[in-house]
Amino acid sequence: MRLKTAEIDRYGPLYDCRPPCNDGITVLSGPNEAGKTLYLEALLQLLEHDIADIMDPSPRVSEPPTGRVVVENGGDQYECDGTTSLCDISAIEPSHLQSVFVVRDSDLKLPSYQGYYTSLIEKLGDIHTTEINAIQSELIDRGRLTETRLNISSDQSYNNAGGVRDSAEDLADDIRDYTLKIDEESLDELDASRLRLKRELRETEEQLATQEEAKTVAEYDRLSDQLETYRVTSSKLTDLEAFDRDTLEDLRELRNDIARDRGTLQDLTSDIQAKETEVEEAVETLEDLETRKTELERRESAVDDVRSAIETYRNRNDDAASAERKLTLTKYATGTGMLAAGGVGIAGAITGSLPVLGFGVLLLVTAIASGVAYNRSNNRLTAVETARESVLQSARDAGFGVESVEEVAPAIESYDSKLSQVQERATRTDQQRENAEQDLENLRSDQSELQSQIDEQESRLEELLEATAVATIDEYEERVETREDLEPDRQAAWQSLVDRFGELDVDNPSEKAAAWEQELESLVADVDEAEIDAEIYDETDLQNLEAEADRLTGEIEDLEARLAEHDRKLDGFDQRARNLTTQPFIDGPLELGTHSKEGLKSLAAELKTVVNQIERDAELSRKALEIFNKVKAQEEQKLEDLFDPDGLASQTFETLTGGRYTGVAYDADSHEIVVESSDGRTLTPDVLSHGTKDQLYFSTRVSLAQQLLGNEPGFLLLDDPFLAADPDRLDQGFKTLQRLANNGWQILYLTAKQEVRDTMVDEYGLEHVKIDSLS
């Protein structure tokens, strides 16, 4: 790979710098600040427009350069103008170009601390491992993986791949579920169903409009008849205003009251006659009872004598019974006493005993006393007989027909019972008479009041009939029935008119009729009565059409609601798809192409593609990372091979040092470049002189550059790499450069060193271009 053209039109203060790009070594010389470094910066930026970000030191000019660089690689030529880069046509990255193919004096002025050598060796030697690390990083980026577990990352730096994958998968699942619902509920046919229903609704509304026009004409005809009925009935009812059902009821009530009261009056007359008879009978019965009572009461004194006589008889009879018993006892006591006394007296006389004489005297006294008692008892028995005869005589005198004393008491009881009964009946009959006379008086009073009431009712009835100029209640009733027959007709006609036109703020029926007539004319103002057949109007058909229209409207509204919900659902899917950042995973954003089941299926397939792409990228990256981990391990080992003892680095370094050092190697354990001296010692760079270290790192760069190009020669851009070299080292350096040129390397050597311009150019026959000072 070589430069065919390297022309800089402008870069800051540098203008029209067009050195030749021939094979071999070309020296561009000039004093300091002549523009050599500006030329190199511009050339590098045209080769790699991204190199400015990693250049150290940073470019001196902020604006990008303009110019033309042509690179030949593999027989093809490529123009690098800031848009096409060296990395587009080769494996050289900006970092390789900066650290390997460009050698500046500042790159060789190394610091003395140990850490820098390690970092420099990693920088210069880690060619493939850097690429591997970059590849691995890119693989992680490509697979959008986490650094440690290599899971799909949801970090924003990876465009939230994990979140997008999960959201896309969830959305795809939701869409699949919804497409099943579309099939189950025929949601994809909602729009067609709505159009069909709207067409049916239009047809129904046309039929409904025809029915409504026919209804209007039929209603006009009906209301016209109702208006005529209202006029006629209102006129007739005006003449019948005086006749009403309440008055008729009053008349009927009066008639019924009069008939009832007349009947009651007849009943009262009969009751009075009966009561008069009752009074007369009571008087006659009372007179008879009074006669019987008088007769009984006249015997009452004689009966009382009988009571006294019977009482006396009973008392004496009780004494006679006792006297009869005593009479028997005393009769025997007296005889016995007399005999005993005589005997005792004889004994006492004989014996001369005083006690015996005393006892005899006592017996004698007892016999005498018994004799006296006997006499008295006999007298009492005689008195009882006298009393018995007196009782019987008194009873006969009192009117009792008795034959013995035993019949007297029952006769008295019979008398007392009859007297008591007659007295009670007389008292009761007298009370009945008084009551009957009082009832009779009350009946006669009721009769008088009822007659007055009948007279008033007949007068009221006559007044009511005269007020309406009818003779009988039947005539009045006929007028009322006529009115009642007319009123429903007028009411129905009025109600029909009010229902249609509303109540009017007038009371006169004629004025109402005139106003409604105007309303009727307005009703058919927009209807051609002559063209409309009112006969086609059918309320059932109209209601069916209205119901059908309502049904269709409801179904359309339901369908539109479902369709709106369906559209909202589809819009939601569309918005969720649009919200997904899918451009890093597939070409272009996702969206719902058509609001249909097929559109959803297509979107679900695209979402699945996103999910598959993310997962495929992750899986491929994981597998690739496994491979590159193995490759990296191999590359770590190959790092030692970069500095093979027989390699270009060792050959170059041996040439540059005149054989004092025979080899350059890389210690993988210490990550350091080491050199082998001619006496067999292994030395680190820190023990080498400054010039020797410059020669070492120049040798490593050349070796790495050749290996980077696949062991093919290329170009080197040298900015005074041997600025600090003494004449011997400078000569050895150019010998090395000459040998590289002989091997096919193209070398552009920029220098301000006088020895190069004055000595090396002529000694080695180099092409020389002078660059004048920018000033």
Side-chain angles (χ1 to χ4, degrees):
M1 182 174 62
R2 54 192 3 85
L3 299 174
K4 301 299 289 184
T5 301
E7 299 175 350
I8 306 303
D9 296 333
R10 180 172 182 177
Y11 181 66
L14 180 65
Y15 288 90
D16 297 329
C17 185
R18 295 181 174 84
C21 293
N22 298 322
D23 294 338
I25 303 173
T26 301
V27 176
L28 275 72
S29 67
N32 290 329
E33 302 301 327
K36 300 184 300 299
T37 300
L38 290 177
Y39 174 78
L40 181 59
E41 287 181 2
L43 179 58
L44 290 176
Q45 291 185 60
L46 287 175
L47 286 170
E48 284 287 352
H49 57 272
D50 291 334
I51 201 172
D53 297 331
I54 61 173
M55 288 178 65
D56 185 22
S58 299
R60 301 181 184 183
V61 179
S62 60
E63 296 297 325
T66 59
R68 180 170 178 267
V69 176
V70 178
V71 178
E72 183 180 67
N73 186 24
D76 297 324
Q77 293 188 1
Y78 304 93
E79 183 173 345
C80 299
D81 54 0
T83 57
T84 300
S85 300
L86 187 62
C87 64
D88 296 330
I89 61 175
S90 70
I92 300 175
E93 296 292 336
S95 60
H96 301 156
L97 183 62
Q98 166 77 10
S99 62
V100 175
F101 293 88
V102 176
V103 181
R104 291 178 173 175
D105 175 55
S106 60
D107 292 333
L108 301 177
K109 293 178 181 179
L110 302 178
S112 59
Y113 58 87
Q114 178 64 33
Y116 180 77
Y117 296 115
T118 301
S119 64
L120 181 61
I121 290 178
E122 289 179 352
K123 174 182 176 183
L124 296 179
D126 196 18
I127 298 174
H128 293 294
T129 55
T130 299
E131 291 176 347
I132 291 172
N133 287 337
I135 291 171
Q136 287 180 320
S137 178
E138 288 181 5
L139 286 172
I140 289 175
D141 292 344
R142 178 60 180 170
R144 305 166 190 92
L145 304 175
T146 57
E147 291 287 345
T148 305
R149 297 181 178 273
L150 300 181
N151 295 324
I152 297 177
S153 174
S154 295
D155 192 274
Q156 290 299 327
S157 62
Y158 291 137
N159 304 109
N160 188 25
V164 171
R165 188 271 313 272
D166 294 341
S167 298
E169 197 165 40
D170 291 343
L171 179 55
D173 290 341
D174 291 346
I175 289 174
R176 279 191 292 272
D177 292 342
Y178 193 69
T179 53
L180 293 176
K181 183 178 180 181
I182 289 175
D183 292 335
E184 293 172 358
E185 300 182 9
S186 301
L187 298 180
D188 222 21
E189 301 174 5
L190 291 179
D191 197 42
S193 298
R194 181 182 60 174
L195 294 176
R196 175 180 56 78
L197 289 175
K198 282 190 172 183
R199 182 174 62 255
E200 292 179 10
L201 179 60
R202 283 195 302 272
E203 295 172 356
T204 301
E205 287 175 341
E206 289 173 359
Q207 297 175 22
L208 181 59
T210 300
Q211 275 291 320
E212 287 175 343
E213 288 177 347
K215 178 181 179 180
T216 300
V217 174
E219 188 175 15
Y220 173 80
D221 295 339
R222 180 181 65 83
L223 292 176
S224 296
D225 293 340
Q226 295 291 343
L227 180 59
E228 182 61 23
T229 299
Y230 180 78
R231 282 197 176 108
V232 172
T233 54
S234 294
S235 176
K236 291 180 179 181
L237 286 172
T238 300
D239 298 334
L240 296 173
E241 286 181 351
F243 299 90
D244 60 85
R245 176 62 63 177
D246 291 339
T247 303
L248 176 60
E249 293 300 324
D250 290 344
L251 289 171
R252 287 175 174 172
E253 186 176 354
L254 283 172
R255 181 175 63 186
N256 294 335
D257 289 347
I258 291 171
R260 184 192 67 245
D261 290 347
R262 285 188 183 280
T264 303
L265 185 60
Q266 289 178 0
D267 293 339
L268 282 174
T269 302
S270 299
D271 292 343
I272 288 171
Q273 292 174 354
K275 191 59 70 175
E276 288 174 345
T277 301
E278 182 182 345
V279 170
E280 291 173 359
E281 291 175 351
V283 170
E284 290 177 359
T285 300
L286 184 59
E287 289 175 351
D288 181 61
L289 290 172
E290 287 293 338
T291 300
R292 293 173 61 189
K293 186 178 78 168
T294 301
E295 291 177 353
L296 290 171
E297 286 177 346
R298 281 198 301 268
R299 294 170 58 193
E300 189 170 9
S301 176
V303 173
D304 289 339
D305 292 341
V306 175
R307 286 190 182 94
S308 298
I310 193 65
E311 185 66 28
T312 299
Y313 170 75
R314 286 173 178 166
N315 292 334
R316 289 180 178 179
N317 191 41
D318 290 339
D319 291 342
S322 176
E324 188 175 2
R325 289 192 302 272
K326 289 180 179 180
L327 181 61
T328 303
L329 292 173
T330 56
K331 179 173 70 170
Y332 293 108
T334 300
T336 303
M338 289 300 290
L339 291 174
V344 171
I346 294 172
I350 293 173
T351 65
S353 176
L354 290 176
V356 173
L357 288 175
F359 181 67
V361 172
L362 178 60
L363 291 174
L364 179 61
V365 171
T366 302
I368 294 171
S370 297
V372 173
Y374 175 79
N375 187 49
R376 287 179 180 174
S377 296
N378 190 44
N379 289 337
R380 286 178 183 173
L381 291 174
T382 301
V384 168
E385 182 62 28
T386 302
R388 186 183 66 78
E389 291 296 335
S390 175
V391 169
L392 291 174
Q393 186 59 47
S394 297
R396 293 187 183 103
D397 291 342
F400 298 137
V402 296
E403 297 296 333
S404 64
V405 174
E406 286 77 10
E407 294 176 356
V408 173
I412 292 172
E413 289 179 2
S414 177
Y415 169 78
D416 289 340
S417 176
K418 289 180 181 179
L419 177 60
S420 176
Q421 290 177 359
V422 169
Q423 288 175 339
E424 288 177 0
R425 286 185 63 192
T427 301
R428 188 168 60 251
T429 302
D430 187 47
Q431 184 63 46
Q432 289 175 351
R433 177 189 60 78
E434 289 180 0
N435 293 340
E437 287 177 348
Q438 183 63 46
D439 292 342
L440 181 60
E441 183 181 353
N442 292 337
L443 288 172
R444 285 172 177 165
S445 175
D446 292 342
Q447 183 185 40
S448 176
E449 291 177 0
L450 188 57
Q451 184 62 54
S452 298
Q453 182 174 313
I454 291 172
D455 293 341
E456 290 177 1
Q457 290 170 342
E458 289 177 342
S459 176
R460 173 63 179 159
L461 178 62
E462 185 177 354
E463 288 176 2
L464 289 175
L465 292 175
E466 288 179 354
T468 54
V470 293
T472 64
I473 294 177
D474 291 339
E475 291 183 19
Y476 191 96
E477 183 176 6
E478 182 181 347
R479 304 290 176 84
V480 170
E481 289 177 351
T482 301
R483 176 179 177 178
E484 289 179 346
D485 289 341
L486 291 172
E487 281 181 337
D489 294 340
R490 185 177 73 165
Q491 179 64 24
W494 174 85
Q495 190 64 53
S496 296
L497 294 166
V498 168
D499 289 344
R500 186 62 182 82
F501 301 116
E503 182 61 276
L504 299 175
D505 192 17
V506 293
D507 296 328
N508 187 282
S510 298
E511 295 178 357
K512 284 186 179 182
W516 278 330
E517 186 173 14
Q518 292 180 356
E519 294 287 350
L520 274 172
E521 294 305 321
S522 299
L523 181 64
V524 293
D526 298 329
V527 177
D528 188 356
E529 297 177 67
E531 297 296 328
I532 297 174
D533 183 8
E535 296 297 327
I536 68 172
Y537 164 65
D538 183 278
E539 183 62 23
T540 301
D541 291 345
L542 178 62
Q543 291 177 357
N544 290 338
L545 287 171
E546 288 176 341
E548 181 66 9
D550 290 341
R551 183 189 67 80
L552 291 172
T553 300
E555 288 189 12
I556 290 172
E557 290 175 353
D558 179 62
L559 280 177
E560 288 179 342
R562 293 178 63 196
L563 189 59
E565 177 62 26
H566 180 56
D567 288 340
R568 282 194 296 271
K569 195 72 174 179
L570 296 182
D571 288 342
F573 289 141
D574 184 40
Q575 189 59 48
R576 287 172 64 184
R578 291 175 182 271
N579 290 340
L580 291 175
T581 306
T582 58
Q583 290 88 335
F585 318 115
I586 61 173
D587 294 334
L590 291 181
E591 62 181 6
L592 183 60
T594 60
H595 275 46
S596 64
K597 182 177 72 174
E598 297 306 320
L600 286 175
K601 289 183 176 179
S602 177
L603 178 56
E606 292 178 356
L607 288 166
K608 188 62 178 176
T609 299
V610 172
V611 172
N612 291 340
Q613 185 63 46
I614 293 173
E615 292 180 346
R616 186 185 303 110
D617 289 347
E619 185 60 25
L620 291 176
S621 294
R622 292 188 191 101
K623 291 180 179 179
L625 284 169
E626 291 179 6
I627 296 172
F628 276 97
N629 283 334
K630 296 177 181 178
V631 173
K632 183 177 180 181
Q634 297 172 356
E635 289 298 309
E636 291 284 350
Q637 181 60 40
K638 287 168 58 178
L639 188 59
E640 297 183 8
D641 297 338
L642 291 175
F643 302 97
D644 184 75
D646 298 326
L648 182 61
S650 296
Q651 295 175 5
T652 303
F653 188 52
E654 183 178 6
T655 301
L656 288 173
T657 60
R660 289 182 290 112
Y661 297 94
T662 59
V664 177
Y666 177 75
D667 187 348
D669 294 331
S670 64
H671 298 286
E672 249 186 343
I673 294 176
V674 294
V675 297
E676 185 176 349
S677 63
S678 59
D679 58 6
R681 290 180 300 159
T682 300
L683 305 174
T684 58
D686 59 316
V687 301
L688 302 178
S689 66
H690 179 74
T692 303
K693 282 188 288 188
D694 286 348
Q695 293 169 337
L696 170 63
Y697 290 121
F698 178 77
S699 299
T700 59
R701 286 175 183 270
V702 172
S703 173
L704 292 174
Q706 180 168 317
Q707 293 184 67
L708 187 62
L709 293 176
N711 292 318
E712 294 292 331
F715 63 85
L716 291 174
L717 304 176
L718 308 182
D719 186 4
D720 260 343
F722 306 135
L723 183 62
D726 55 31
D728 290 338
R729 286 194 174 96
L730 180 63
D731 183 60
Q732 291 173 353
F734 269 90
K735 286 181 179 178
T736 300
L737 294 179
Q738 186 63 53
R739 190 177 67 180
L740 291 173
N742 293 335
N743 291 330
W745 283 85
Q746 181 186 33
I747 300 172
L748 182 62
Y749 195 104
L750 287 78
T751 183
K753 191 176 179 69
Q754 184 175 354
E755 290 89 339
V756 174
R757 182 182 66 244
D758 295 341
T759 305
M760 296 295 108
V761 169
D762 292 337
E763 184 175 343
Y764 289 96
L766 305 178
E767 185 170 358
H768 181 210
V769 177
K770 292 183 179 179
I771 300 177
D772 296 330
S773 175
L774 291 175
S775 61

